[in-house]
PDB file of all heavy atoms in Angstrom:
ATOM      1  N   ALA A  11      90.901 119.476 113.213  1.00 96.00           N
ATOM      2  CA  ALA A  11      91.843 120.417 112.616  1.00 96.00           C
ATOM      3  C   ALA A  11      91.223 121.815 112.559  1.00 96.00           C
ATOM      4  O   ALA A  11      90.006 121.935 112.355  1.00 96.00           O
ATOM      5  CB  ALA A  11      92.234 119.934 111.197  1.00 96.00           C
ATOM      6  N   HIS A  15      91.299 131.421 108.511  1.00 84.00           N
ATOM      7  CA  HIS A  15      90.729 131.851 107.217  1.00 84.00           C
ATOM      8  C   HIS A  15      90.343 133.307 107.327  1.00 84.00           C
ATOM      9  O   HIS A  15      89.455 133.625 108.080  1.00 84.00           O
ATOM     10  CB  HIS A  15      89.546 130.940 106.871  1.00 84.00           C
ATOM     11  CG  HIS A  15      89.018 131.226 105.451  1.00 84.00           C
ATOM     12  ND1 HIS A  15      89.573 130.692 104.349  1.00 84.00           N
ATOM     13  CD2 HIS A  15      87.926 131.945 105.076  1.00 84.00           C
ATOM     14  CE1 HIS A  15      88.900 131.114 103.261  1.00 84.00           C
ATOM     15  NE2 HIS A  15      87.914 131.839 103.672  1.00 84.00           N
ATOM     16  N   ARG A  23      87.460 121.280 110.996  1.00 98.00           N
ATOM     17  CA  ARG A  23      87.051 119.911 110.640  1.00 98.00           C
ATOM     18  C   ARG A  23      86.853 119.178 111.930  1.00 98.00           C
ATOM     19  O   ARG A  23      87.724 119.125 112.801  1.00 98.00           O
ATOM     20  CB  ARG A  23      88.012 119.203 109.751  1.00 98.00           C
ATOM     21  CG  ARG A  23      88.136 119.789 108.348  1.00 98.00           C
ATOM     22  CD  ARG A  23      89.305 119.170 107.580  1.00 98.00           C
ATOM     23  NE  ARG A  23      89.252 117.761 107.367  1.00 98.00           N
ATOM     24  CZ  ARG A  23      88.507 117.198 106.403  1.00 98.00           C
ATOM     25  NH1 ARG A  23      87.763 117.925 105.590  1.00 98.00           N
ATOM     26  NH2 ARG A  23      88.486 115.877 106.315  1.00 98.00           N
ATOM     27  N   GLY A  56      78.424 121.353 117.923  1.00 97.00           N
ATOM     28  CA  GLY A  56      78.456 122.197 116.725  1.00 97.00           C
ATOM     29  C   GLY A  56      77.120 122.264 116.066  1.00 97.00           C
ATOM     30  O   GLY A  56      76.326 121.290 116.105  1.00 97.00           O
ATOM     31  N   LEU A  69      79.531 127.403 110.886  1.00 96.00           N
ATOM     32  CA  LEU A  69      79.534 126.550 112.061  1.00 96.00           C
ATOM     33  C   LEU A  69      79.595 127.463 113.329  1.00 96.00           C
ATOM     34  O   LEU A  69      80.419 128.329 113.453  1.00 96.00           O
ATOM     35  CB  LEU A  69      80.749 125.647 112.032  1.00 96.00           C
ATOM     36  CG  LEU A  69      81.079 124.857 113.329  1.00 96.00           C
ATOM     37  CD1 LEU A  69      79.978 123.892 113.691  1.00 96.00           C
ATOM     38  CD2 LEU A  69      82.387 124.082 113.124  1.00 96.00           C
ATOM     39  N   GLU A  72      79.650 125.408 120.766  1.00 96.00           N
ATOM     40  CA  GLU A  72      79.662 125.576 122.228  1.00 96.00           C
ATOM     41  C   GLU A  72      80.631 124.541 122.767  1.00 96.00           C
ATOM     42  O   GLU A  72      80.543 123.346 122.357  1.00 96.00           O
ATOM     43  CB  GLU A  72      78.191 125.338 122.749  1.00 96.00           C
ATOM     44  CG  GLU A  72      77.195 126.348 122.396  1.00 96.00           C
ATOM     45  CD  GLU A  72      75.841 126.036 123.025  1.00 96.00           C
ATOM     46  OE1 GLU A  72      75.821 125.263 124.004  1.00 96.00           O
ATOM     47  OE2 GLU A  72      74.830 126.543 122.532  1.00 96.00           O
ATOM     48  N   ILE A  74      82.058 121.655 124.998  1.00 97.00           N
ATOM     49  CA  ILE A  74      81.593 120.565 125.846  1.00 97.00           C
ATOM     50  C   ILE A  74      82.675 120.112 126.786  1.00 97.00           C
ATOM     51  O   ILE A  74      82.524 120.082 127.990  1.00 97.00           O
ATOM     52  CB  ILE A  74      81.067 119.409 125.026  1.00 97.00           C
ATOM     53  CG1 ILE A  74      79.841 119.782 124.262  1.00 97.00           C
ATOM     54  CG2 ILE A  74      80.814 118.215 125.942  1.00 97.00           C
ATOM     55  CD1 ILE A  74      79.304 118.659 123.349  1.00 97.00           C
ATOM     56  N   HIS A 111      85.228 107.102 115.609  1.00 98.00           N
ATOM     57  CA  HIS A 111      84.849 108.161 116.575  1.00 98.00           C
ATOM     58  C   HIS A 111      85.071 107.680 117.983  1.00 98.00           C
ATOM     59  O   HIS A 111      85.730 108.359 118.799  1.00 98.00           O
ATOM     60  CB  HIS A 111      83.397 108.600 116.329  1.00 98.00           C
ATOM     61  CG  HIS A 111      82.935 109.624 117.379  1.00 98.00           C
ATOM     62  ND1 HIS A 111      82.509 109.220 118.594  1.00 98.00           N
ATOM     63  CD2 HIS A 111      82.841 110.928 117.309  1.00 98.00           C
ATOM     64  CE1 HIS A 111      82.173 110.302 119.304  1.00 98.00           C
ATOM     65  NE2 HIS A 111      82.340 111.368 118.554  1.00 98.00           N
ATOM     66  N   ASP A 119      90.693 110.164 125.874  1.00 97.00           N
ATOM     67  CA  ASP A 119      90.399 109.984 127.266  1.00 97.00           C
ATOM     68  C   ASP A 119      91.595 109.320 128.011  1.00 97.00           C
ATOM     69  O   ASP A 119      91.899 109.679 129.153  1.00 97.00           O
ATOM     70  CB  ASP A 119      89.187 109.060 127.458  1.00 97.00           C
ATOM     71  CG  ASP A 119      87.881 109.870 127.101  1.00 97.00           C
ATOM     72  OD1 ASP A 119      87.932 111.111 126.989  1.00 97.00           O
ATOM     73  OD2 ASP A 119      86.836 109.180 126.940  1.00 97.00           O
ATOM     74  N   LEU A 134      97.005 103.975 121.608  1.00 97.00           N
ATOM     75  CA  LEU A 134      97.308 104.647 120.363  1.00 97.00           C
ATOM     76  C   LEU A 134      97.598 103.726 119.227  1.00 97.00           C
ATOM     77  O   LEU A 134      97.109 103.869 118.091  1.00 97.00           O
ATOM     78  CB  LEU A 134      98.457 105.628 120.563  1.00 97.00           C
ATOM     79  CG  LEU A 134      98.802 106.518 119.394  1.00 97.00           C
ATOM     80  CD1 LEU A 134      99.304 107.930 119.862  1.00 97.00           C
ATOM     81  CD2 LEU A 134      99.944 105.968 118.560  1.00 97.00           C
ATOM     82  N   VAL A 155     100.168  83.157 107.231  1.00 97.00           N
ATOM     83  CA  VAL A 155      99.873  83.305 105.802  1.00 97.00           C
ATOM     84  C   VAL A 155     100.410  82.110 105.035  1.00 97.00           C
ATOM     85  O   VAL A 155      99.918  81.772 103.919  1.00 97.00           O
ATOM     86  CB  VAL A 155     100.471  84.606 105.271  1.00 97.00           C
ATOM     87  CG1 VAL A 155     101.997  84.633 105.342  1.00 97.00           C
ATOM     88  CG2 VAL A 155      99.995  84.892 103.824  1.00 97.00           C
ATOM     89  N   SER A 159      98.009  78.022 110.172  1.00 95.00           N
ATOM     90  CA  SER A 159      97.903  77.673 111.606  1.00 95.00           C
ATOM     91  C   SER A 159      98.019  78.969 112.464  1.00 95.00           C
ATOM     92  O   SER A 159      98.635  79.936 112.054  1.00 95.00           O
ATOM     93  CB  SER A 159      99.091  76.765 111.972  1.00 95.00           C
ATOM     94  OG  SER A 159      99.122  76.587 113.388  1.00 95.00           O
ATOM     95  N   PRO A 190     104.296  91.771 118.186  1.00 97.00           N
ATOM     96  CA  PRO A 190     104.161  91.817 119.661  1.00 97.00           C
ATOM     97  C   PRO A 190     102.857  91.095 120.096  1.00 97.00           C
ATOM     98  O   PRO A 190     101.847  91.234 119.444  1.00 97.00           O
ATOM     99  CB  PRO A 190     104.203  93.294 119.999  1.00 97.00           C
ATOM    100  CG  PRO A 190     103.684  93.983 118.765  1.00 97.00           C
ATOM    101  CD  PRO A 190     104.114  93.131 117.574  1.00 97.00           C
ATOM    102  N   ASP A 191     102.945  90.426 121.202  1.00 94.00           N
ATOM    103  CA  ASP A 191     101.793  89.693 121.670  1.00 94.00           C
ATOM    104  C   ASP A 191     100.562  90.511 121.914  1.00 94.00           C
ATOM    105  O   ASP A 191      99.402  90.072 121.707  1.00 94.00           O
ATOM    106  CB  ASP A 191     102.152  88.915 122.974  1.00 94.00           C
ATOM    107  CG  ASP A 191     103.039  87.711 122.738  1.00 94.00           C
ATOM    108  OD1 ASP A 191     103.117  87.257 121.581  1.00 94.00           O
ATOM    109  OD2 ASP A 191     103.668  87.285 123.683  1.00 94.00           O
TER     110      ASP A 191
END
Side-chain angles (χ1 to χ4, degrees):
H15 185 80
R23 290 171 61 80
L69 170 61
E72 293 182 20
I74 293 178
H111 175 279
D119 286 346
L134 185 143
V155 65
S159 171
D191 286 341

